[in-house]
Amino acid sequence: MDYVSTRGEAPSLGFSDALLAGLARDGGLYVPREWPTFSKKDIRALRGKSYQDIAFTVLSPFVKGDIPADKFRAMIDEAYATFRHPAIAPVVQTGPNSFVLELFHGTTLAFKDVAMQLLARLMDHALAVRGERATIVGATSGDTGGAAIDAFAGRERTDIFILFPEGKVSPVQQRQMTTSTEKNVHALAIKGNFDDCQNLVKAMFNDGKFRDSVKLSGVNSINWARIMAQIVYYFTTAVALGGPDRKISFTVPTGNFGDIFAGYAAKRMGLPIDKLVIATNENDILARTLKTGRYEIKGVKATTSPSMDIQISSNFERLLFEALDRDAGAVRRAMESLKQSNAFEIEDKALKTIRKKFRAGRATEKEVARTIKTTLAETGYLLDPHSAIGVFVAAKHEKPGSPMVTLATAHPAKFPAAVKSASGIDPALPSWLADLMQREERFDVLGAELDAVEDFIGKHTRARD
Ligand SMILES: Cc1ncc(COP(=O)(O)O)c(C=O)c1O
Ligand SMILES: N[C@@H](CCOP(=O)(O)O)C(=O)O
């Protein structure tokens, strides 16, 4: 399998090269040249199999010719041995047709662990084969950073630098990033918001000289391997609920559009998914885009779901590429317009294609708090604010007799203040994080300036030429 850039001006790459590249050299995002497909018979054959077995079957076509099958299987087994639930991603029924897919049983209590644990092992393997080191950078609104630091801490071949918006992540999220004692970990509090952090990361990738000099690599969902690993739980869930002989809908709390794009990929691979529902908080650029056909960046508002306080939704570019029948020139024009005027229009045909497959909705702060409270009262289930956005929006798109699965993307204990204020319950951290708030913090504070960040990374990475 090889991978092509959504902007069509970077060389196509094999899996390991695309993995290490992160962002394509033309500023685009890598996608597989073609979607591997699974027949209904193939999908039926997944019934009764473990998460790890399904991951191996579903993901093997993406790494074929690049990673030996036995090594890939071992990485999958090791990655998911870090999870605290035997099912890895269990499905819980909360109503006659409503289900919650729990994606927070990994070490840092968010869905990011699912992909990050595998990504770290894939990168280690690719770097070992080449005898190289890499500098990993990542931007986070709270969860990617903790998951990446956990997965890469202490790894000999990588130094990791995570940019988080100063004062805009939850205290638990911050400490998951700032209390690592490993020397290869660097948490950087940036004076700005998540979009500033993400822009800095993209600017570092687009600075060819810097990129090459520190052997830059990325762990955000701009990296195809992140999306790839997230495809698996759409398959495990659909199969558990009667797929492929029944169509399932998914509602996904959405920010950077990575998680829901993984659902789209699963659908392209043959999984019978009915609707993919985008759920946003008050930073509702995606819900507005589906309604109006205009993708337009407005200011970011701080909410009780900080991980979704995002306006520049990187992976929407991947969807645009698909909806435009892979017309890289049209994607380039849209992205140029976004850069120049903070907006672009989606042409009619592409918009129709997107609207056919996706639905969207938003939840206000009041609706999030009310959903946490009423879900607890009616079902006994305690949601975190991100998952509550999903549950609120899902309820508006449920159809009788058709299963609707909401992705529960984080554990309530990551956001204790918001959860307590909505429900009266103070959710406890699990045992391995019980002393998190007492651990010593270590981080640096930097302005949202490319020079300052590049200078810091250049001085601290071991991957310099
Ligand atoms: C808890 C949580 N929910 C939802 C999201 C949104 O996911 P995505 O960015 O893949 O759309 C994020 C961060 O991205 C998150 O951390
Ligand atoms: N919500 C994310 C933002 C970054 O998203 P990513 O999936 O592109 O890494 C976070 O928690 O950091």
Side-chain angles (χ1 to χ4, degrees):
M1 175 71 77
D2 71 339
Y3 292 83
V4 296
S5 165
T6 49
R7 301 201 190 169
E9 291 184 329
S12 58
L13 300 177
F15 176 77
S16 291
D17 287 325
L19 167 79
L20 293 176
L23 193 68
R25 290 211 175 246
D26 57 3
L29 277 65
Y30 278 110
V31 289
R33 184 178 293 282
E34 59 210 23
W35 295 106
T37 51
F38 288 80
S39 66
K40 283 198 171 179
K41 190 168 164 232
D42 297 333
I43 297 170
R44 262 181 227 117
L46 301 175
R47 286 183 183 156
K49 296 241 166 103
S50 69
Y51 189 94
Q52 291 85 334
D53 285 345
I54 295 178
F56 181 68
T57 304
V58 168
L59 301 184
S60 285
F62 291 112
V63 302
K64 205 170 164 208
D66 210 284
I67 303 203
D70 57 336
K71 293 235 160 49
F72 188 49
R73 178 66 209 217
M75 286 183 230
I76 290 174
D77 288 343
E78 244 192 58
Y80 297 115
T82 64
F83 275 62
R84 285 4 192 237
H85 195 292
I88 313 302
V91 182
V92 176
Q93 187 155 15
T94 50
N97 295 307
S98 324
F99 300 84
V100 163
L101 168 60
E102 293 186 342
L103 296 171
F104 50 71
H105 293 285
T107 33
T108 69
L109 313 180
F111 78 98
K112 311 286 178 169
D113 293 319
V114 178
M116 211 61 85
Q117 290 294 334
L118 185 58
L119 185 76
R121 288 164 174 85
L122 286 164
M123 277 206 181
D124 253 4
H125 171 80
L127 289 168
V129 168
R130 288 163 171 72
E132 287 175 5
R133 280 182 190 279
T135 302
I136 311 275
V137 291
T140 189
S141 53
D143 290 323
T144 292
I149 284 173
D150 183 85
F152 283 91
R155 290 187 187 268
E156 196 36 50
R157 294 190 175 274
T158 44
D159 290 300
I160 179 159
F161 297 83
I162 294 294
L163 282 60
F164 69 90
E166 187 189 29
K168 295 188 177 70
V169 299
S170 85
V172 172
Q173 288 177 314
Q174 172 156 333
R175 280 170 178 271
Q176 285 180 325
M177 295 185 273
T178 57
T179 57
S180 172
T181 52
E182 295 293 347
K183 282 201 194 69
N184 70 330
V185 169
H186 305 271
L188 304 179
I190 300 294
K191 293 188 172 298
N193 58 32
F194 168 74
D195 290 326
D196 296 322
C197 298
Q198 181 160 248
N199 283 337
L200 283 166
V201 166
K202 287 185 181 168
M204 284 187 258
F205 275 103
N206 290 328
D207 177 349
K209 195 161 161 243
F210 176 75
R211 176 180 183 152
D212 292 337
S213 73
V214 300
K215 302 199 169 59
L216 204 63
S217 195
V219 289
N220 279 107
S221 55
I222 51 175
N223 192 318
W224 164 254
R226 281 276 311 281
I227 307 290
M228 177 188 90
Q230 291 172 201
I231 293 170
V232 176
Y233 45 71
Y234 288 92
F235 274 85
T236 57
T237 305
V239 163
L241 296 180
D245 300 310
R246 186 150 87 127
K247 277 193 166 186
I248 321 285
S249 291
F250 291 90
T251 300
V252 188
T254 299
N256 232 354
F257 208 79
D259 211 3
I260 197 160
F261 189 80
Y264 170 85
K267 190 168 169 147
R268 292 296 303 264
M269 291 165 71
L271 191 69
I273 292 179
D274 186 5
K275 287 289 172 294
L276 287 163
V277 184
I278 301 164
T280 74
N281 64 18
E282 290 179 18
N283 296 297
D284 60 353
I285 184 165
L286 292 167
R288 282 189 282 115
T289 303
L290 246 74
K291 207 167 166 183
T292 63
R294 182 174 167 81
Y295 183 103
E296 184 175 13
I297 296 172
K298 297 191 174 156
V300 187
K301 196 182 155 189
T303 71
T304 50
S305 45
S307 307
M308 286 161 58
D309 291 346
I310 296 175
Q311 285 287 290
I312 305 170
S313 192
S314 296
N315 285 285
F316 195 72
E317 180 169 340
R318 285 187 164 115
L319 179 65
L320 200 62
F321 183 60
E322 296 298 321
L324 288 164
D325 297 327
R326 299 202 158 200
D327 179 349
V331 173
R332 279 201 304 279
R333 287 192 292 281
M335 293 305 135
E336 197 44 44
S337 161
L338 188 64
K339 200 164 145 197
Q340 300 294 331
S341 53
N342 276 341
F344 62 83
E345 306 283 342
I346 304 176
E347 56 186 62
D348 282 353
K349 189 168 160 261
L351 186 60
K352 249 189 216 152
T353 308
I354 293 173
R355 282 182 177 154
K356 214 165 142 195
K357 296 189 169 64
F358 291 87
R359 296 286 178 270
R362 79 197 280 266
T364 63
E365 287 294 89
K366 271 193 188 147
E367 288 161 342
V368 175
R370 200 172 347 114
T371 304
I372 294 175
K373 190 173 172 185
T374 54
T375 307
L376 181 67
E378 287 164 14
T379 69
Y381 196 90
L382 186 63
L383 293 161
D384 99 289
H386 304 75
S387 313
I389 292 166
V391 167
F392 176 81
V393 173
K396 298 194 179 310
H397 292 88
E398 276 178 26
K399 286 190 293 199
S402 168
M404 169 61 86
V405 180
T406 299
L407 274 58
T409 49
H411 191 289
K414 283 195 104 162
F415 308 95
V419 171
K420 184 159 187 205
S421 138
S423 68
I425 293 179
D426 200 352
L429 283 166
S431 57
W432 67 94
L433 292 172
D435 66 343
L436 182 71
M437 302 313 282
Q438 282 77 53
R439 292 182 200 162
E440 198 183 323
E441 286 194 275
R442 179 174 64 87
F443 63 98
D444 291 273
V445 183
L446 295 176
E449 287 126 28
L450 184 61
D451 286 353
V453 177
E454 286 188 347
D455 187 53
F456 184 96
I457 293 176
K459 282 191 180 123
H460 290 86
T461 184
R462 293 170 297 170
R464 270 209 94 87
D465 275 336

